[in-house]
Amino acid sequence: MTEDLTATTNRDVQSGSDNGEYERESVPESRLKGLRSFIGMYAGEHAAGTEFAIGPLFVAHGVTAFDVIVGLLLGNLMAVLSWRFMCAPIAVRVKQTLYYQLERICGVNLVSLYNLANGLMFCFLAGAMIAVSATAVGIPFNMQMPALGDWLPNSIGWIIAVFAVGAVISIVAAKGYDAVARFANIASPWMVLVFLACGIAALPSLGVHSPADFWVVAKKIVWTGAPIEGQSKYTFWHVFCFAWFCNLAMHVGMADLSIFRFAKKASYGYASAAGMYVGHYMAWISAALLYAVQLQNNPADTAVAPGPMAVNIAGLAGAVCVIIAGWTTANPTIYRAGLALQIIFRKWSRFRVTLITGAIATIGAIFPALVMKLLDFVALYGMILMPMGTVIFIDFWVLPKLGMKRFYAEVTGTSFNWAAGAAWILTLCCYWILYVQFHIANFFLFIPGWFIAAVLYIIGSKLYQKPSLA
Amino acid sequence: MKTVLKGISYIALLGTFVPAILVWAGTIQLETHKIIMIIAMVLWFVTAPFWMKK
């Protein structure tokens, strides 16, 4: 018997669709979007405020020029292939949000736990983007920027700037995906070129007056291989793995099921390359060049403050770019957080839940550590959420081949799929063991973690699923 | 009219990154580059919404 991947769709439609975001039903054919929507969205989302922070942080952690140029090239390729071959194929077949699909697999209680973790992680990620924008908003007021080692807010001005930016971003995010995508589509071509312009215009200040000068300057001045005092040393593998897992929650973790459910075919997963090679290659390199100019002007000024860095080279346009870059990424991130938390707060409107997630993000943004420790936060965020993406992958492709049922919670009516829950929690425990006992750095844990989660879910399902349902 | 707006938008995009190349080539000063980028930014956001597809 052919399994209906969209089994719940008709019942939901008959009971009345929700507010047009298809949160609990499959996206109808008439609402699918063309490739350009995804290219624009990815280019806009990944040419973001956090790119202004990540590029400099690699410099601060003492990577070499080879580490960056080659490591980012290959790591971003792995990310694109992960979107294309792991996330998009399931998204275009089922056409449902990550959260609804997880509910069908895991049950409403387990997915509530996941969504709480997911929503909070997205909130804090959006907070980092709000903080980036705030560094630009504060410039006209001579706001003192947080330092590289700051964990707590350093001034009232910083707090006010963060709250102002957070409030505006949250209200726009609450309006819905179409409004967000429209603004990002308009802003993204300009933003991308501002990133490019910043990098090129910074070159003369670093002593690059011809292409032949670039590699020498890159090795001796920009990416020297020596970390700034107080920062740990990163290698090629840190850069490669970071570029791959930077959006781990989205591709292998399957959060972008919620995005690609609007795609006409799985090959639209390649649209992620627009984000990776524009945002996570060109923009990171450009931002690193801006930081190198700042360090060259004043070696003691190690603060990673995107606003002043951009203004130094691109003036007011640079400041506006930093604000918009943070905005266009915080918006979909807060939107995703709203989707995640709404599965817990079902009776609340999406508008209300999104405003609340924006508020949480804004409070997180007050703490500069969210930006200064962004690389570690991104690693943690991906690791925590990835195992459920593994559950979705195995549930869709592997369980039927082993004679087991997909969407087990929906089939049985259970609210907690213990096989999925055990796979998630035990994988997190394994992370801890690998980190503490075997001293494997957090940047590298996701690779064994995926396989651990896969094996645990298969074994757990074999033990948990009733044979009579096969 | 849309064609005119589109043309202005593309000029704005050129005005966003070409000045950086001119800075690198030593043809213009960094401060001039900053002023051109502001003009390009305004032109882009004033014209692009009228022709970019939803």
Side-chain angles (χ1 to χ4, degrees), chain A residues 36 182-183 185-187 189-190 193-194 196-197 200-201 203-204 208-211 311-317 320 324, chain B residues 12-14 16-17 19-25 30-31 33-34 37-38 40-42 44-45 48-54:
Chain A
R36 285 177 62 180
R182 172 77 176 138
F183 181 75
N185 277 345
I186 292 170
W190 173 79
L193 291 177
V194 172
L196 181 64
I200 294 172
L203 292 174
V208 179
H209 300 288
S210 70
V311 166
N312 188 30
I313 296 296
L316 178 62
V320 172
I324 293 179
Chain B
L13 291 182
L14 286 173
T16 300
F17 80 93
I21 297 172
L22 297 177
V23 168
W24 185 32
L30 195 62
E31 293 309 311
H33 159 254
K34 292 177 183 177
M37 284 192 76
I38 292 172
M41 172 182 71
V42 171
W44 172 257
F45 282 102
F50 294 101
W51 61 266
M52 284 189 78
K53 285 183 191 173
K54 290 188 179 179

Side-chain angles (χ1 to χ4, degrees), chain A residues 91-165:
Chain A
V92 299
R93 285 167 171 79
V94 184
K95 291 186 170 57
Q96 294 172 355
T97 66
L98 161 75
Y99 315 110
Y100 191 48
Q101 201 167 333
L102 268 182
E103 183 180 318
R104 296 173 69 195
I105 297 169
C106 301
V108 65
N109 286 347
L110 177 54
V111 85
S112 293
L113 280 178
Y114 172 85
N115 279 319
L116 187 60
N118 193 11
L120 287 173
M121 288 293 170
F122 278 139
C123 282
F124 292 124
L125 186 64
M129 297 161 194
I130 290 170
V132 164
S133 291
T135 65
V137 167
I139 292 173
F141 307 100
N142 288 321
M143 184 183 76
Q144 185 186 358
M145 298 295 158
L148 187 59
D150 281 350
W151 278 76
L152 298 176
N154 63 337
S155 66
I156 295 293
W158 171 252
I159 295 173
I160 293 172
V162 165
F163 268 106
V165 171

